């Protein structure tokens, strides 16, 4: 099995115990795209991360050799060509469930931080620009009593909702199908005009790319806050920056970006933003369990068992 980047200690122990040779995964020696393409045909399985592009070319090269399974240390699978994988008979496994609570914690951190302008305030303090307490300085928005709108109501969205209830928020949500849960709004446009904070929890597909663009941002209530812990391209960043600069959007909290790891300089300079480097699931226990689950999926396939978490098109 090929590992494209270092895994947490102990993550691949089940594979090693089963007698599977694990190659790669050395700290500081991540496999680049060229090396991956050259090596893939020599392996029965790959454990990759979401920064690895597992496209038709890589899958084709692997399937022409020994490749049977790809396990990704992520819930999202937009970096993997699932159509090509299915056609070539390569199983793809991912890691849903184990990162829900950690990602929801981070999403709510962004809800709080963006609404209260915490990043701007901290930066002012660290740069020595704070002149002391002022009655009308750095006035943010209350989170308690506000209306939270969730776009996507899967495991992470529901976990964010639980946190919001604890803060006395009203929670509305939009999903592809009626959830049967109080607060469901069938049309996204109808949701946008009702919320004080909009938090995104959908996978990246062609249907969700730029789901929140200039038109949708204009439908938000004046002074709304946008939070994105889903995937960067779900939001049109250019339109987002324009809304922040004009003041029609009060603030934004982002953990994901359109062209990671590159960040649009306009976004870096935009006012009232809290920006984090894709750390939604970044706790030690969560990342370890994610890596273990990816390895277990690979082991299941190589052992002739059905994996517990096969990836399917959304």
């Amino acid at each position: 099995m090929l590992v494209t980047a270092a895994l947490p200690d102990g993550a691949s122990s089940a594979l090693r115990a089963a007698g599977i040779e694990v190659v790669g995964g050395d700290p500081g020696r991540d496999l680049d795209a060229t090396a991956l393409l050259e090596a893939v045909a020599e392996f029965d399985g790959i454990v990759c991360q979401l920064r690895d592009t597992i496209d038709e070319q890589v899958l084709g090269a692997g399937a022409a050799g020994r490749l049977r399974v790809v396990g990704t240390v992520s819930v999202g699978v937009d970096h993997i060509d699932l159509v090509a994988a299915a056609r070539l008979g390569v199983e793809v496994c991912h890691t849903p469930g184990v990162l829900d609570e950690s990602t929801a914690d981070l999403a709510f951190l962004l809800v709080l931080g963006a609404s209260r302008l915490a990043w701007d305030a901290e930066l002012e303090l660290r740069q020595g620009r704070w002149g002391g307490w002022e009655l009308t300085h750095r006035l943010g928005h209350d989170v308690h009593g506000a209306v939270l709108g969730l776009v996507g109501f899967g495991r992470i969205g529901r976990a964010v909702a639980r946190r919001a209830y604890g803060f006395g928020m009203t929670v509305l949500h939009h999903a592809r199908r009626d959830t049967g849960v109080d607060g469901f709004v069938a049309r996204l446009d109808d949701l946008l005009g009702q919320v004080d904070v909009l938090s995104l929890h959908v996978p990246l597909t062609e249907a969700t790319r730029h789901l929140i663009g200039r038109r949708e941002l204009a439908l938000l209530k004046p002074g709304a806050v946008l939070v994105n812990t889903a995937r960067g391209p779900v939001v049109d960043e250019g339109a987002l920056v324009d809304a922040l600069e004009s003041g029609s959007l009060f603030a934004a909290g982002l953990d994901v970006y359109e062209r990671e790891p590159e960040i649009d300089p306009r976004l870096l300079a935009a006012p009232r933003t809290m920006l984090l480097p894709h750390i939604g699931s970044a706790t030690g226990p969560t990342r370890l369990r994610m890596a273990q689950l990816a390895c277990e999926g690979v082991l299941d396939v190589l052992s002739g068992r059905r994996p517990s978490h096969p990836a399917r098109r959304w």
Side-chain angles (χ1 to χ4, degrees), residues 185-206:
V185 180
R187 295 182 66 249
L188 176 60
D189 285 4
D190 293 337
L191 176 78
L192 297 176
Q194 300 182 62
V195 304
D196 301 301
V197 181
L198 186 71
S199 187
L200 307 178
H201 303 283
V202 295
L204 177 61
T205 68
E206 286 309 308

Side-chain angles (χ1 to χ4, degrees), residues 112-261:
L112 290 166
S115 297
R116 293 299 301 270
L117 303 179
W119 169 248
D120 288 358
E122 183 186 14
L123 193 61
E124 180 181 65
L125 180 71
R126 288 183 180 276
Q127 293 178 343
R129 296 184 286 110
W130 184 51
W133 188 89
E134 296 180 43
L135 184 64
T136 59
H137 188 55
R138 295 288 180 205
L139 300 183
H141 287 183
D142 284 326
V143 171
H144 66 272
V147 178
L148 173 67
L150 301 170
V151 180
F153 203 59
R155 285 182 290 254
I156 297 174
R158 292 171 189 246
V160 174
R162 293 195 298 272
R163 286 152 177 78
Y165 293 137
F167 275 77
M169 302 183 83
T170 297
V171 180
L172 304 176
H173 65 277
H174 168 74
R176 290 181 299 163
R177 291 180 288 271
D178 191 339
T179 62
V181 177
D182 288 346
F184 173 73
V185 180
R187 295 182 66 249
L188 176 60
D189 285 4
D190 293 337
L191 176 78
L192 297 176
Q194 300 182 62
V195 304
D196 301 301
V197 181
L198 186 71
S199 187
L200 307 178
H201 303 283
V202 295
L204 177 61
T205 68
E206 286 309 308
T208 63
R209 188 176 296 275
H210 283 191
L211 180 68
I212 304 300
R214 199 170 305 277
R215 188 187 73 85
E216 290 76 21
L217 290 167
L219 292 175
L220 288 168
K221 294 165 59 175
V225 172
L226 174 70
V227 169
N228 188 11
T229 55
R231 285 291 184 266
V234 172
V235 176
D236 180 341
E237 283 185 0
L240 172 62
V241 172
D242 288 343
L244 288 164
E245 289 179 345
S246 72
S248 62
L249 187 70
F250 178 69
L254 306 178
D255 188 44
V256 289
Y257 307 91
E258 279 205 70
R259 290 172 291 278
E260 295 181 19

Side-chain angles (χ1 to χ4, degrees), residues 53-114:
T53 299
I54 311 297
D55 57 16
E56 184 172 13
Q57 186 179 21
V58 170
L59 290 165
R66 301 166 51 176
L67 186 66
R68 295 166 54 196
V69 58
V70 175
T72 179
V73 187
S74 64
V75 174
V77 290
D78 47 279
H79 58 300
I80 302 174
D81 188 334
L82 296 183
V83 174
R87 186 177 68 252
L88 293 165
V90 177
E91 185 69 78
V92 178
C93 309
H94 64 150
T95 64
V98 296
L99 50 68
D100 301 344
E101 300 299 330
S102 297
T103 303
D105 284 347
L106 194 282
F108 212 79
L109 169 67
L110 289 171
V111 169
L112 290 166

